Structure formats: C-alpha cells, structure tokens
C-alpha cells in the first residue's frame, strides 16, 4: 500500500500546476543527454524515453514489425519469462510501459528511489535483452491481429486508412503502424530482432526525467540503462508532401451513421507562423464547444454530436485534419457547413474577440498540463522531439500573446485552402457523390 500511495501521489501531486518549472540539461559520462526536473519531496522518479523514427523505420515488406516488437518488450527479458518479469515489476512497485507510433518508440517508467538499482536493472533487461519467446510472440501477434481485424470493421479506422493512403501513398505515413493482418502474420522472430536493432539506437534517443534524482544519478542511470545500445540505425524515410486534392471520397459501409475525415496540407512546427496557425485552428475547430465548427454544425443545426479540427504536424509531413460523424441523411449538409466555414475563415479571417478568447484559453490552460511527474517527463521529451529549448515552458505564453490579429488573418488566407480540402466518408451517405 505504501508503494502504491507513493506512486499515486507522485503522479498527481508532486508538483503544483505551473509551467515555470526548472529544467536542467544533463550529459552522462558516456555522452547521453537528458532533461531533468528535480523534485525531491517524494521518493519517486518518472522517466520518459523516446527513440525517434518509430514505426516509420519498419523495413520494407515488414510493416508492423516495430509495433509488434515494442509490444513484446515487457513479455520477458534476460533470465525472466513473461510471468517472471511481471512478478519482478510488481515486487518493485515499478511501472513500465512501451508503445510505438509513426514518430517514436516510447518507454515510460516510474519507480521508487529505494528500488532504484533493481528497477533500472529490470528495465535495462527489457530494453536490451528481450527474449521474444515463440509462445509470447504468438500470443501478442494474435492480439495485434485481432485489433487489426476489428479495425477493418470500424468506420473511423477505415476512413483513416483510406485518407492516409490517398495523402501519403507508399510512404510509411500512408500505411498502418501496426501493419496488416497479412504482414503481421508473416513476421518472423528474426524480423523482430532486426526491428529491435534498427529502432532502439542512441542517435535517435531522447530522455526526460522528473523526481527524486540528481543530475549525477541521472547520468549514471542513462549510461547503465542505455549506454551500450547501438549508436546508429537505418536512415529515416524522406519527408513527404501530402497529395491531398479537394473533393469527396465515399466508401460504402453498412452503418446508420456516416463518419467523415477531412484534411488538407498543413504547417510545420518550426514555421514562424505556427502559433498563429494554432490560434486559428483553435477558433475554427479546436476549441471544443466554442469553436466555429461546433457552433455551426452541432449547436445551430444539430447535425452531429461532435466535430473538430487539429494541426497534424509530424516529423516528415504536415496536415490540418478534422472529423465529423452524422446520420447518413444529414452528413452531406454537415460537410457543406464545414466547407462554408473553411471558406469564410480563409476569406475573412477571425474577429478580435475570437482571438482574445483563444489567447485567454490557451495561456490559461497551459500550466494545467504540468499536473504530475510522469506528465512532465513526457512533456520534456515532447519538447525535445520537436526541437524546442528548455526555456520554452517559460516563454510559450509570451509567444501566444505576441500573435496579432493581422498575423492570424494572413495565416488564414495562406494556410486554409478550401479548394483542396478533401473529405473521406465511410457509410451510406444520402445525396453525397464522390468528387
């Protein structure tokens, strides 16, 4: 109980809800860099590790290998089988999780200071020496295949796959991170070993740590945990310009409600207009019930329960995306309203009041993101992933406040492209024809 209570408090109350945290950059004796926020009030450490590249580094013809490999990292390592690994983790009151997406392989760990050495040793084995036992591979493979089979019957997943294929073609962004039923079924143990060797490399490593640990201890931890990983792996895929043209794609599917995914080309995170684009999107479709799309599509016309848009800026491609669902006989009207709103914002921009409201919300909500050690550790890695510096947490709201109405109007006219906004609709839409 003591361990569980400590972990809970560490996750939720170790730091107050504030953005002005002190980030220290740490370099280990072996040359690994990390960002650290020291917090010694509780004997608890949260560690976030990311290997950039993620599933985009799948070898051609082996789609889904990195996803399956990542899912097996906690299924036994070193001298422990899957059950033994789980038991050891529980005895240490440690928490490890592993995940992957098209940008990164992520490892999240939480453990108590008093179990520091044993927890690091166990996590090291999971990262460095996974067993990939046949029985475990088949069990996890079956879980992945079951998920893929379910996705083939889900309208939202069908729309996402179709839109990605249209926008990115044969680029890794154009296919599912988890692979296909066929590609996952064909993966061998050797494929998993190769995936492990390719993606968990030091050149792609980012680390964030928060909690009861000093810079010197973190340096030792990083060398122990990650020091003997391969230095480098395969080259990343090239950047890709989304091939999105305006129009509508309809995929017939027997369901009472159609699902639509819409999008167009976007903006990169390092673009000088990025913050203006963030505010613009918040006003159009990112601001929950107050956004224009929610007001026009849901509140005024009752066409949907929810509609939203978001900037989808990734390492290798950028888009603005959104989604809406409505009954088959009303989805065409919902799409027309969204098109109209896109057109209006492109031509007329936003109002001063809308911009001020968006700034108030975004600057006020920002400190609330820093609500626990694990969350902060994730933020530290996320900042590194997109090339920010440690001072960003203190200057971010100033950057938001400096955006002018003229900035947003200019970005709206340049970024929003109604003629090239594409809708992929899955269902039986009435009166909606492919364009």
């Amino acid at each position: 109980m003591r361990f569980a209570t400590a972990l809970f408090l560490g996750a939720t109350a170790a730091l107050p809800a504030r953005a002005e945290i002190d980030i220290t950059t740490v370099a280990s004796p072996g040359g690994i860099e990390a960002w650290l926020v020291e917090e010694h009030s509780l004997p608890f450490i949260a560690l976030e590790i990311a290997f950039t590249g993620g599933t985009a580094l799948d070898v051609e013809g082996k789609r889904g290998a990195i996803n399956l490999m990542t899912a097996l990292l906690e299924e036994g390592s070193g001298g422990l089988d899957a059950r033994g690994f789980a038991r050891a983790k529980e005895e240490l009151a440690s928490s490890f999780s592993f995940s992957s997406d098209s940008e990164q392989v992520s490892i999240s760990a939480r453990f108590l200071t008093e179990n520091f050495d044993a927890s690091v040793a166990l996590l090291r084995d999971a990262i460095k020496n996974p067993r990939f036992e046949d029985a475990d591979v088949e069990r996890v493979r079956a879980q992945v295949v079951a998920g893929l089979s379910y996705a083939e019957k889900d309208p939202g997943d069908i729309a996402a796959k179709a839109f990605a294929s249209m926008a990115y073609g044969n680029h890794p962004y154009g296919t599912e991170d988890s692979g296909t039923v066929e590609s996952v079924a064909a993966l061998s143990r050797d494929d998993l070993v190769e995936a492990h060797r390719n993606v968990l490399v030091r050149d792609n490593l980012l680390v964030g740590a928060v909690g009861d640990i000093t810079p010197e201890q973190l340096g030792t931890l990083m060398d122990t945990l990650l020091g003997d990983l391969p230095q480098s792996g395969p080259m990343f895929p090239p950047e890709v310009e989304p091939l999105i043209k305006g129009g509508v794609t309809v995929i017939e599917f027997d369901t009472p409600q159609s699902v639509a995914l819409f999008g167009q080309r976007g903006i990169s995170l390092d673009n000088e207009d990025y913050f203006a684009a963030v505010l613009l999107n918040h006003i159009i479709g990112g601001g929950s019930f107050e956004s224009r799309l929610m007001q026009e599509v849901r509140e005024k016309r009752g066409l949907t329960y929810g509609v939203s848009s978001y900037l989808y800026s990734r390492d290798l491609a950028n888009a603005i995306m959104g989604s809406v669902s409505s009954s088959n006989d009303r989805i065409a009207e919902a799409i027309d309203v969204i098109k109209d709103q896109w057109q209006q914002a492109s031509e007329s921009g936003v109002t001063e009041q809308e911009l001020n409201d968006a700034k108030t919300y975004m600057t006020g909500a920002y400190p609330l993101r820093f609500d626990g050690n694990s969350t902060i550790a994730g933020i530290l890695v996320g900042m590194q992933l997109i090339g920010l510096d440690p001072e960003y947490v203190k200057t971010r709201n100033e950057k938001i406040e400096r955006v002018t109405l003229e900035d947003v109007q200019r970005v709206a006219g340049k970024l929003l492209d109604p003629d090239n906004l594409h809708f992929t609709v899955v269902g039986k839409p009435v009166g909606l024809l492919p364009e």
Side-chain angles (χ1 to χ4, degrees):
M1 179 61 75
R2 177 191 171 203
F3 293 154
T5 301
L7 288 174
F8 176 79
L9 291 174
T12 59
L15 287 169
R18 57 185 169 82
E20 294 186 0
I21 57 176
D22 293 320
I23 301 172
T24 302
T25 57
V26 176
S28 76
I32 299 173
E33 296 186 354
W35 289 11
L36 167 66
V37 174
E38 290 187 68
E39 171 53 50
H40 297 284
S41 62
L42 286 172
F44 161 75
I45 298 160
L47 187 65
E48 189 74 19
I49 300 167
F51 295 91
T52 59
T55 63
L57 294 177
D58 268 337
V59 173
E60 186 175 356
K62 306 295 181 184
R63 196 59 169 143
I66 290 174
N67 175 69
L68 181 59
M69 179 279 295
T70 305
L72 283 158
L73 290 178
E74 58 181 335
E75 298 295 333
S77 60
L80 298 173
D81 60 14
R83 182 171 295 180
F85 182 85
R87 187 182 303 116
K89 191 173 60 174
E90 289 177 6
E91 289 173 352
L92 292 169
S94 299
S95 171
F96 306 150
S97 64
F98 307 85
S99 62
S100 64
D101 58 30
S102 61
E103 308 298 288
Q104 60 186 301
V105 170
S106 301
I107 300 170
S108 302
R110 295 181 297 165
F111 47 86
L112 295 167
T113 309
E114 66 187 68
N115 294 334
F116 184 100
D117 290 337
S119 297
V120 171
L122 186 64
L123 180 59
R124 182 186 185 284
D125 259 351
I127 296 172
K128 180 68 178 171
N129 303 310
R131 290 165 67 112
F132 300 139
E133 295 280 359
D134 289 344
D136 299 320
V137 171
E138 295 311 316
R139 175 166 44 79
V140 177
R141 188 202 307 271
Q143 295 168 355
V144 172
V145 168
L148 290 169
S149 299
Y150 176 82
E152 291 178 350
K153 303 172 185 175
D154 182 81
D157 286 325
I158 294 170
K161 284 192 287 188
F163 196 99
S165 178
M166 171 200 68
Y168 305 111
N170 293 325
H171 190 276
Y173 283 1
T175 57
E176 175 61 40
D177 296 333
S178 302
T180 64
V181 171
E182 293 75 21
S183 70
V184 173
L187 293 172
S188 69
R189 186 181 187 282
D190 287 345
D191 295 330
L192 302 178
V193 172
E194 183 179 22
H196 180 267
R197 183 173 62 244
N198 284 346
V199 75
L200 301 183
V201 301
R202 286 183 49 169
D203 281 353
N204 302 343
L205 178 62
L206 303 171
V207 181
V210 180
D212 185 24
I213 185 170
T214 66
E216 293 73 22
Q217 290 171 320
L218 179 58
T220 301
L221 179 153
M222 290 191 292
D223 282 350
T224 301
L225 194 61
L226 309 162
D228 55 357
L229 290 174
Q231 185 65 44
S232 60
M235 293 180 61
F236 284 20
E239 293 186 1
V240 57
E241 190 73 21
L243 300 173
I244 304 174
K245 295 181 179 179
V248 177
T249 299
V250 176
I251 300 173
E252 287 284 334
F253 191 79
D254 190 12
T255 175
Q257 179 167 272
S258 290
V259 172
L261 193 67
F262 56 92
Q264 58 151 92
R265 293 179 182 178
I267 185 171
S268 66
L269 289 160
D270 60 357
N271 190 297
E272 61 181 5
D273 286 330
Y274 184 75
F275 281 107
V278 169
L279 287 161
L280 173 65
N281 176 68
H282 181 86
I283 294 165
I284 295 174
S288 187
F289 284 96
E290 300 305 317
S291 75
R292 289 187 178 186
L293 292 183
M294 281 293 278
Q295 288 296 313
E296 297 295 331
V297 182
R298 172 181 161 135
E299 297 301 310
K300 292 184 180 178
R301 298 173 176 83
L303 297 172
T304 184
Y305 286 111
V307 55
S308 63
S309 65
Y310 51 94
L311 300 180
Y312 197 31
S313 303
R314 297 193 280 177
D315 287 349
L316 305 175
N318 307 295
I320 303 176
M321 301 294 296
S323 64
V324 65
S325 59
S326 187
S327 60
N328 286 327
D329 62 343
R330 304 198 74 186
I331 188 70
E333 184 182 356
I335 287 174
D336 284 343
V337 175
I338 294 169
K339 286 180 177 178
D340 286 344
Q341 290 302 311
W342 221 258
Q343 187 78 44
Q344 286 183 32
S346 174
E347 293 176 352
S348 306
V350 304
T351 68
E352 186 83 49
Q353 185 62 54
E354 286 178 319
L355 178 59
N356 289 337
D357 290 346
K359 286 182 177 180
T360 298
Y361 174 82
M362 295 190 66
T363 55
Y366 186 58
L368 301 179
R369 297 183 187 178
F370 296 77
D371 64 351
N373 288 4
S374 297
T375 303
I376 296 171
I379 290 173
L380 299 186
V381 167
M383 289 170 60
Q384 295 174 69
L385 187 65
I386 58 177
L388 300 175
D389 61 60
E391 291 300 306
Y392 174 80
V393 295
K394 299 177 181 176
T395 63
R396 182 262 194 190
N397 279 357
E398 295 173 12
K399 297 178 190 295
I400 294 285
E401 293 289 1
R402 282 203 294 266
V403 174
T404 67
L405 183 62
E406 289 71 27
D407 292 333
V408 178
Q409 313 297 50
R410 171 173 47 78
V411 171
K414 184 170 64 176
L415 183 63
L416 299 180
D417 185 3
D419 291 337
N420 284 306
L421 182 63
H422 192 94
F423 290 78
T424 297
V425 183
V426 178
K428 286 191 170 182
V430 177
L432 187 66
L433 298 176
E435 299 174 8

